[in-house]
């Protein structure tokens, strides 16, 4: 089975469209690690697509914030403004769907899906120290997580945590073979707001038959996404950062 793993789409329809186009016919099931909405200007288009096409979706912190489940005191002013805008602009059906998303971890096939970490959906697993702790809570040898918007992840290799280096994906993709003696936390990166210095949309495809994860980076129409953010009256910095991937 080939799984398309998406995370942190953040209402960026142009980025998601590029991913849809690129992956046509290349996967059997789609899975999402959360943060469908918040930041960009097309929350309904993104949620509509996820509703129709994703077999498993866990919620992210922005999915809670943008549907009124959380109070916004922990959000910075820009994220708060985007959350309020999203709550005003999501349809009633999409608010209901997004508010009812499962809290991770969700188990599927031979892997699990979380937003932040297996013990705390809001934890940022950015470094080997946090990953080392998170590995202790996994029920499978493979997990997919998001939240940091940094493509890559970590490998538990005989009691040592290895960082999966920045995926250069110069030619657009890079494949990692899954060693059955190791444990993996794989971050597909962010579709809609990458923060690892590469503005291209990020995702992975996991092939459970051959035990391999392929990382992808693909260009998309950043200018249109930026224009929509500005025209919607969202904070302009949300448009600016897309160009630099920060
Ligand atoms: Zn996010």
């Amino acid at each position: 089975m080939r799984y398309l793993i998406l995370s942190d789409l953040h209402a960026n329809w142009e980025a998601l469209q590029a991913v849809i186009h690129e992956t046509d016919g290349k996967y059997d099931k789609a899975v999402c690690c959360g943060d469908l909405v918040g930041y960009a200007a097309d929350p309904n288009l993104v949620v509509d697509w996820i509703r129709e096409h994703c077999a498993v979706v866990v919620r992210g912190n922005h999915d809670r914030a943008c549907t009124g489940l959380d109070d916004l005191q922990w959000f910075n002013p820009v994220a708060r403004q985007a959350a309020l805008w999203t709550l005003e602009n999501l349809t009633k059906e999409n608010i209901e769907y997004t508010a009812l998303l499962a809290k991770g971890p969700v188990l599927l096939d031979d892997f699990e899906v979380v937003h932040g970490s297996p013990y705390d959906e809001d934890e940022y697993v950015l470094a080997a120290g946090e990953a080392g702790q998170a590995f202790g809570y996994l029920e499978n040898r493979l997990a997919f997580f998001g939240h940091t918007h940094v493509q890559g992840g970590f490998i538990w290799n005989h009691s040592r945590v290895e960082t999966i280096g920045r995926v250069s994906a110069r030619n657009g993709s890079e494949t990692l073979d899954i060693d059955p003696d190791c444990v993996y936390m794989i971050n597909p990166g962010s579709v809609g707001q990458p923060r690892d210095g590469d503005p291209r949309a990020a995702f992975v495809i996991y092939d459970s038959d051959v035990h391999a994860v392929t990382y992808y980076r693909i260009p998309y129409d950043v200018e249109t996404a930026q224009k929509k953010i500005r025209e919607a009256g969202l904070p302009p910095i949300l448009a600016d950062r897309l160009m630099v991937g920060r």
Side-chain angles (χ1 to χ4, degrees):
M1 182 78 78
R2 297 162 305 167
Y3 295 93
L4 170 65
I5 319 277
L6 305 174
S7 191
D8 299 283
L9 300 97
H10 286 290
N12 186 335
W13 177 238
E14 281 65 40
L16 178 56
Q17 272 181 300
V19 174
I20 294 166
H21 182 75
E22 174 71 26
T23 56
D24 186 33
K26 291 184 183 164
Y27 69 93
D28 306 298
K29 260 186 192 173
V31 170
C32 179
C33 303
D35 276 1
L36 284 54
V37 296
Y39 294 143
D42 282 313
N44 287 306
L45 289 175
V46 170
V47 174
D48 286 344
W49 189 88
I50 294 280
R51 284 173 67 173
E52 193 176 339
H53 295 94
C54 271
V56 165
V57 184
V58 298
R59 69 183 188 184
N61 52 320
H62 287 260
D63 302 322
R64 299 199 314 269
C66 294
T67 54
L69 289 184
D70 277 5
D71 81 48
L72 299 171
Q73 61 168 328
W74 305 112
F75 268 38
N76 66 52
V78 167
R80 189 182 309 141
Q81 204 181 324
L84 293 170
W85 181 92
T86 303
L87 185 55
E88 263 167 43
N89 284 276
L90 274 174
T91 63
K92 196 169 162 283
E93 293 74 28
N94 283 339
I95 289 177
E96 276 169 17
Y97 169 83
T98 307
L100 288 172
L101 289 174
K103 178 184 175 183
V106 171
L107 310 185
L108 180 69
D109 202 337
D110 61 350
F111 62 89
E112 60 197 75
V113 185
V114 304
H115 184 62
S117 92
Y119 60 89
D120 179 356
E121 60 184 330
D122 294 336
E123 163 102 5
Y124 288 92
V125 181
L126 273 163
E130 291 128 14
Q133 211 182 343
F135 276 118
Y137 291 83
L138 292 182
E139 291 184 40
N140 290 280
R141 302 190 79 81
L142 174 61
F144 294 97
F145 72 104
H147 197 38
T148 65
H149 300 208
V150 174
Q151 193 178 46
F154 302 91
I155 305 172
W156 179 263
N157 185 355
H158 302 96
S159 317
R160 215 178 53 241
V161 179
E162 294 171 356
T163 301
I164 300 172
R166 170 126 165 247
V167 182
S168 68
R170 250 177 255 288
N171 41 13
S173 70
E174 209 165 288
T175 297
L176 174 73
D177 291 318
I178 298 296
D179 178 341
D181 292 330
C182 295
V183 186
Y184 292 82
M185 284 188 65
I186 301 287
N187 191 329
S190 169
V191 172
Q193 196 201 72
R195 290 179 197 160
D196 49 11
D198 184 341
R200 295 176 297 174
F203 60 95
V204 304
I205 292 179
Y206 167 54
D207 189 328
S208 62
D209 296 331
V210 299
H211 304 288
V213 171
T214 303
Y215 291 92
Y216 287 85
R217 282 321 266 258
I218 56 160
Y220 72 94
D221 183 358
V222 176
E223 285 88 353
T224 299
Q226 290 179 308
K227 190 164 168 272
K228 287 183 177 176
I229 288 169
R230 293 190 185 108
E231 285 175 0
L234 284 157
I237 190 179
L238 294 172
D240 299 342
R241 66 187 304 175
L242 292 181
M243 195 56 97
V244 286
R246 287 285 176 205

